[in-house]
Amino acid sequence: MNAHPSGYHKVLLDINLTTGEIKKIPIPQEDIEHFVGGRGLGMKILWDRLKKPGIDALSPENPLMFMPGPFSGFPIPSASRTVVVTKSPATSPDTSPYPHASTVSYSNIGGFLGPEIRFAGYDGIVISGKAPTPSYIVIEDDRVEIRDAKPFWGMKTDAFDKTLVKELNNKRFQTCYIGPAGENLVSYACILHTTARAAGRGVGAVMGSKNLKAIAVKGTGMPNVADLKAFNNSLSDVRGVFKGLTGGLLTGFWRESGTAAVLQMMSDDGLMAVKNYREGTFAEIEKINAKVAREKAWVRDFACYCCCLACKKSGAVKDGPYKTIVHDGPEYETGVMFGANLMISDFNGLMKAIYDGDDLGMDIISAGNVIGFLMEAHEKGYVTKADLDGIDLTWGNVDAVLLIIDKISRRDGIGDLAAQGVKAVSKQVGRNSEQFAIHVKGLELAAHNIHANPPRALCYATSNRGACHLSGDNIAHQNFVAAVDSLGLCLFASDHNKWMLPGISKRKIANLLTAITGIEWDADKFIEAGERVFNLEKMFNLREGFTREDDQLPDRFFAEPFTMGPEKGARLDRQEFTELMDKFYAERNWNPKTTRPTDEKLKQLNLEFTI
Amino acid sequence: MKGNSTASSHQPQTLIDGKPVSRREFISRLALGGGALVLLSGCSRWALPGSGAKDREKIYEFIAVDYSKCTGCRTCEAVCASANNPVSVDGRMMPGPGNPALSNIYVHSFNPDVSAPAVCASCADIPCVNACPVDPDPATGRRALFREAKWGGITNDPERCISCGSCVDACGADSVGILAQHPETGRPMRMCTLCDGDPECVRHCPYDALSMIRVTADHPYYRMSPEEIAEKLSNRWYDLSV
């Protein structure tokens, strides 16, 4: 049909901000077949680019990658995701020969960015180096420019989003950018797209370290399809997954309330991060749940590229001191981390805090976790009000949260310490505070509590980017997630949760992938690609010096049972958890002592180059 | 509203379920969840010409948007591009892969969140056609841009088009501003074809935000630019201006 009937452009856009050199570089066919795209292909490039351990994540050498996948750009339902891949600025091992050792990092962002990168003619953007002065990148098909961002440096994301549209003078550009948190290298800074969709877990700090304020991309092309007839048939089949028997759409709770739908359920089931993970149930959840959001704030539903789920809401604060705030309103993570975890039940205050967190460009998961820790340390008398620059950081105090996140974004006073993440704060606070510093490998846990959820505990402990609630609760799930993350497809549109929600099965995914790429894929081969990606990430982390000691959870989950709610008395059992982990390593063919994959496993997965 | 707006001079009447309502009431109903009205009252008949409709305001079909339902997902762009840019495979034409740059419907998204799909309004007074400087063909009376008879869609005759862009300018000045010059040929693009009466965008919109209906010039938001629409909706929804 065309020159590259493969579903790929087979081209990466390679930009060196130090030299200003812009190149198109080919992607080896073998990497496409083994690592697919997105998270997988990004990890392979990360491995190739960082040839030795201990390279500082905030140094010019660390590549920052924006990786769509082979589904991106096609009108496949929810094929809207872009994975930002880089070396993590947020994680660290307990001990390592390398001072800047850290894990891989990847963060998955929805919206329209990944498809547009493919329309512009690229399967990914790889940015290295450091611009001499604040800069932004404009990509319009073949034309790529590095422009001056000095006038915009320091701007918060909402205002910058509006300014950049005017500056570009064309609404068809898709943009992503950092706020003050990223500029000031807050270890959990975000990269934002459309002011509310965020790639978190620290990738914004890497962007800031490169003096890169924004990327704008616009394209007019399209990757080709290997077998258009099979593609059209598969596409109809996949669209049918979301169609009800009597017409209308099957969208589960996504359409109704997005992830906020589960705020009430998770609290009711004792699975929520409450009061710095001390409890699993929030007594005041009725004041901040989806029902309240719908009544008080939400105005409309919004969707990512070609998605029929529309889990994004838009809303406005309609009364009180924060009137005029226009923003998404709580999702599950933001609603818990700035809500229940800080004992905040003032809905409008929660909206304001979420707006400010996004506006400053920080990961609300980590920010809520760090602030929860400081509130607890303050309550216990480990830190004084004077240590907190006079901020009355007590449970439920919205104004104190607004003050401290502003300080974090500017790294002012206590904000400078808090900007380094909960592991660093706990180290400074000392005493036994590491018991309630809720992180794994230095990355803060998300809004899912685990006293009563051992599989999710394993998920956090074994995730390759540090504590992550989406890494997968078991081996099959981990492999599946890694594979889906490599497609450009949204996990929410897959059937990962098939007993509750409609979704696309791995068989249907494989059919689409075969039609698009012309490479024969089936469900097993697809899952094996996920296993390959997960193992490559593991090998990267091992090379940095991470050991089994780093797959540890904070003591709180073992030592302090819930005192209330349906799971009252629940805690993790250390013996049982160790056995669960032993079993996990054995089933993965990883050495239980060192957690290193066996050479046989690596060879089986075509990962000989890591041995 | 641009160009031939009459909204400020009088209050045209629109019928909903046979009951006349003022334009102002109508707009507010539509934006406050009036999407249901479109469905309940029968898509093609809900906006009949007012009593003052003149002959030249002949009714044409066009793709109407219920902005309260649109989520900005751009499925319409992809399916429009697929259907209107078919690809030949083994001698058979089939829908293309769906490059949104080739779509005739364009979704404009704003901050704060408003998504306003722009699509050819099938204007009764055809400013684009009237701006065409090519002499009418003596046999057909057609310029290089003309309205085809069956669905009333605006059509370009590539043989006679001189790629001057006058139609594009006229659309921008007097109507939605959807027309654009093809980057290579310079000929106008993004005229809605109505997909021969069964528009793909309407069929595939996951949110039932689009419908093919007959309109007159007093249809709310008719011929407004996406920017004007976004400003009005943003003010209403969020109590702010864009």
Side-chain angles (χ1 to χ4, degrees):
Chain A
M1 199 173 103
N2 278 293
H4 299 290
S6 70
Y8 294 88
H9 299 288
K10 286 194 178 174
V11 169
L12 294 170
L13 179 63
D14 182 287
I15 301 173
N16 183 326
L17 288 170
T18 305
T19 62
E21 192 182 3
I22 296 162
K23 287 186 294 195
K24 281 184 178 185
I25 54 172
I27 307 172
Q29 179 70 22
E30 192 182 67
D31 284 358
I32 282 172
E33 291 189 14
H34 288 163
F35 299 99
V36 188
R39 176 174 156 193
L41 188 57
M43 288 304 163
K44 175 61 167 50
I45 299 166
L46 190 72
W47 178 274
D48 289 345
R49 295 269 175 135
L50 298 181
K51 294 192 191 318
K52 61 180 196 307
I55 291 166
D56 185 354
L58 299 181
S59 73
E61 285 167 271
N62 188 17
L64 176 69
M65 291 171 266
F66 294 82
M67 303 299 297
F71 279 14
S72 306
F74 295 109
I76 299 164
S78 312
S80 65
R81 312 291 296 190
T82 318
V83 186
V84 181
V85 181
T86 190
K87 187 172 188 244
S88 179
T91 54
S92 57
D94 266 1
T95 57
S96 165
Y98 315 108
H100 293 294
S102 70
T103 62
V104 297
S105 186
Y106 56 91
S107 188
N108 193 318
I109 185 173
F112 304 87
L113 193 65
E116 204 66 36
I117 291 171
R118 297 258 288 174
F119 298 148
Y122 310 100
D123 296 319
I125 302 172
V126 184
I127 297 161
S128 59
K130 178 182 180 177
T133 56
S135 302
Y136 72 108
I137 296 169
V138 180
I139 301 161
E140 211 175 343
D141 290 316
D142 276 343
R143 222 179 73 219
V144 183
E145 273 179 52
I146 300 168
R147 293 190 192 164
D148 179 21
K150 282 199 287 290
F152 315 123
W153 204 249
M155 276 182 94
K156 296 180 189 177
T157 61
D158 191 15
F160 179 67
D161 179 82
K162 291 171 181 156
T163 304
L164 188 57
V165 167
K166 287 184 192 137
E167 192 73 14
L168 295 164
N169 198 26
N170 186 326
K171 285 202 64 64
R172 296 293 282 193
F173 276 102
Q174 297 299 336
T175 60
C176 65
Y177 34 79
I178 56 170
E183 294 172 15
N184 295 320
L185 312 181
V186 173
S187 75
Y188 42 91
C190 282
I191 300 171
L192 282 103
H193 166 56
T194 67
T195 71
R197 295 176 170 107
R201 322 303 349 227
V203 295
V206 176
M207 190 150 158
S209 76
K210 302 196 172 308
N211 257 335
L212 183 61
K213 179 72 176 175
I215 299 172
V217 58
K218 180 168 92 66
T220 54
M222 180 89 185
N224 294 312
V225 174
D227 183 345
L228 189 59
K229 191 177 166 196
F231 171 73
N232 284 334
N233 289 340
S234 280
L235 186 58
S236 297
D237 187 29
V238 163
R239 281 182 177 143
V241 167
F242 299 98
K243 287 204 177 99
L245 288 172
T246 55
L249 283 175
L250 293 170
T251 57
F253 56 63
W254 299 119
R255 179 73 205 275
E256 177 58 30
S257 305
T259 59
V262 298
L263 280 164
Q264 186 69 47
M265 187 190 89
M266 294 288 279
S267 176
D268 289 350
D269 291 351
L271 297 170
M272 179 176 278
V274 180
K275 208 176 181 185
N276 194 31
Y277 302 80
R278 183 65 191 83
E279 302 293 345
T281 298
F282 187 37
E284 296 188 288
I285 193 67
E286 277 88 1
K287 293 181 181 172
I288 57 167
N289 64 12
K291 188 162 168 278
V292 175
R294 180 80 49 203
E295 282 165 11
K296 289 187 121 175
W298 288 343
V299 177
R300 290 289 175 264
D301 307 329
F302 287 89
C304 299
Y305 190 68
C306 289
C307 179
C308 59
L309 302 176
C311 72
K312 180 180 188 289
K313 309 299 156 196
S314 77
V317 177
K318 290 162 189 160
D319 49 46
Y322 309 120
K323 191 174 180 318
T324 75
I325 292 289
V326 179
H327 204 54
D328 286 34
E331 303 164 291
Y332 179 71
E333 291 298 327
T334 56
V336 174
M337 296 313 292
F338 273 178
N341 196 47
L342 308 182
M343 305 295 278
I344 286 173
S345 58
D346 164 9
F347 181 83
N348 287 347
L350 175 60
M351 282 282 287
K352 167 68 174 167
I354 293 168
Y355 172 81
D356 278 10
D358 279 343
D359 203 22
L360 296 164
M362 68 177 68
D363 187 335
I364 291 172
I365 292 177
S366 290
N369 182 310
V370 170
I371 295 167
F373 172 88
L374 283 171
M375 283 178 168
E376 181 164 350
H378 185 206
E379 183 183 55
K380 289 192 154 109
Y382 293 10
V383 296
T384 65
K385 204 170 159 182
D387 294 331
L388 299 167
D389 301 338
I391 298 173
D392 183 30
L393 207 58
T394 47
W395 299 113
N397 187 341
V398 172
D399 291 328
V401 172
L402 300 179
L403 286 172
I404 197 160
I405 59 177
D406 180 61
K407 275 177 167 287
I408 290 169
S409 76
R410 292 183 289 112
R411 304 197 66 143
D412 174 56
I414 181 68
D416 185 47
L417 175 64
Q420 297 167 48
V422 77
K423 185 177 178 182
V425 180
S426 164
K427 209 168 179 180
Q428 184 75 25
V429 169
R431 308 213 209 176
N432 64 342
S433 72
E434 77 275 2
Q435 281 196 18
F436 59 90
I438 309 298
H439 68 90
V440 175
K441 304 181 181 72
L443 192 69
E444 291 78 12
L445 269 72
H448 299 238
N449 209 340
I450 50 175
H451 291 71
N453 192 354
R456 189 57 48 86
L458 178 132
C459 171
Y460 279 129
T462 59
S463 158
N464 287 322
R465 62 171 170 176
C468 166
H469 59 296
L470 291 169
S471 176
D473 290 352
N474 54 55
I475 293 170
H477 196 199
Q478 285 174 343
N479 294 344
F480 179 73
V481 171
V484 169
D485 284 353
S486 301
L487 292 170
L489 183 70
C490 182
L491 187 65
F492 291 177
S494 75
D495 69 346
H496 75 295
N497 216 351
K498 56 182 162 242
W499 56 92
M500 261 178 81
L501 297 162
I504 309 169
S505 68
K506 56 192 175 188
R507 189 181 58 78
K508 288 187 200 297
I509 288 171
N511 289 344
L512 266 175
L513 199 53
T514 302
I516 290 172
T517 63
I519 301 164
E520 281 298 322
W521 285 94
D522 59 33
D524 292 342
K525 189 177 157 186
F526 174 66
I527 296 301
E528 191 186 48
E531 185 183 11
R532 181 177 299 119
V533 172
F534 200 86
N535 276 271
L536 176 59
E537 293 168 345
K538 181 68 184 174
M539 288 307 290
F540 185 100
N541 293 347
L542 288 166
R543 190 175 69 175
E544 294 284 321
F546 285 83
T547 66
R548 178 159 178 172
E549 295 308 303
D550 296 298
D551 291 359
Q552 285 299 339
L553 296 167
D555 280 349
R556 162 147 292 168
F557 302 114
F558 302 98
E560 297 174 89
F562 289 152
T563 66
M564 58 170 286
E567 293 289 348
K568 184 176 174 182
R571 63 174 180 86
L572 293 177
D573 182 275
R574 200 173 283 280
Q575 179 67 27
E576 281 174 19
F577 185 69
T578 304
E579 283 165 14
L580 189 68
M581 295 286 280
D582 283 340
K583 192 162 160 265
F584 168 84
Y585 298 126
E587 282 180 23
R588 272 231 173 261
N589 282 311
W590 292 2
N591 180 323
K593 282 209 176 86
T594 63
T595 72
R596 188 183 189 280
T598 61
D599 286 358
E600 292 70 36
K601 176 50 82 177
L602 293 170
K603 282 176 192 156
Q604 180 206 325
L605 294 171
N606 315 98
L607 294 172
E608 300 90 345
F609 61 89
T610 62
I611 296 174
Chain B
M1 186 176 270
K2 285 178 182 173
N4 66 345
S5 165
T6 53
S8 56
S9 55
H10 67 287
Q11 292 276 316
Q13 298 275 296
T14 299
L15 295 172
I16 291 179
D17 293 341
K19 187 180 162 212
V21 293
S22 75
R23 175 186 172 80
R24 187 182 302 266
E25 278 171 10
F26 185 81
I27 292 174
S28 72
R29 283 201 203 182
L30 188 89
L32 294 172
L37 293 173
V38 176
L39 298 175
L40 291 175
S41 54
C43 293
S44 59
R45 292 186 299 105
W46 65 278
L48 297 171
S51 54
K54 298 187 178 72
D55 285 346
R56 71 174 183 83
E57 288 180 335
K58 195 184 165 194
I59 307 162
Y60 292 103
E61 314 265 352
F62 95 130
I63 306 295
V65 182
D66 182 340
Y67 300 100
S68 69
K69 289 183 170 176
C70 177
T71 67
C73 74
R74 298 170 62 194
T75 301
C76 52
E77 291 185 11
V79 296
C80 174
S82 286
N84 287 293
N85 299 276
V87 174
S88 169
V89 176
D90 302 331
R92 266 190 59 212
M93 297 303 279
M94 58 178 65
N99 177 355
L102 304 175
S103 172
N104 300 330
I105 187 166
Y106 252 43
V107 180
H108 295 249
S109 293
F110 296 85
N111 171 8
D113 280 321
V114 175
S115 287
V119 63
C120 173
S122 247
C123 306
D125 59 348
I126 43 175
C128 52
V129 172
N130 292 335
C132 180
V134 175
D135 286 336
D137 184 316
T140 61
R142 286 171 173 174
R143 301 167 194 256
L145 202 66
F146 59 92
R147 189 192 287 284
E148 56 90 11
K150 194 174 174 194
W151 294 105
I154 309 298
T155 309
N156 179 240
D157 180 350
E159 301 298 321
R160 304 182 71 228
C161 180
I162 57 170
S163 303
C164 67
S166 304
C167 51
V168 173
D169 294 343
C171 181
D174 291 342
S175 190
V176 179
I178 180 73
L179 292 196
Q181 281 186 277
H182 190 281
E184 281 150 29
T185 66
R187 291 196 291 266
M189 50 191 264
R190 301 194 198 129
M191 294 83 72
C192 178
T193 65
L194 290 168
C195 299
D196 210 18
D198 185 13
E200 289 287 312
C201 56
V202 173
R203 221 146 55 83
H204 285 286
C205 174
Y207 304 99
D208 295 328
L210 302 173
S211 39
M212 186 170 87
I213 59 168
R214 295 176 174 183
V215 286
T216 58
D218 56 2
H219 178 70
Y221 303 99
Y222 187 59
R223 290 170 74 159
M224 281 188 199
S225 72
E227 286 73 18
E228 289 171 294
I229 292 167
E231 189 173 346
K232 281 182 189 294
L233 294 179
S234 191
N235 277 322
R236 181 169 302 125
W237 293 352
Y238 307 116
D239 197 18
L240 280 175
S241 58
V242 171

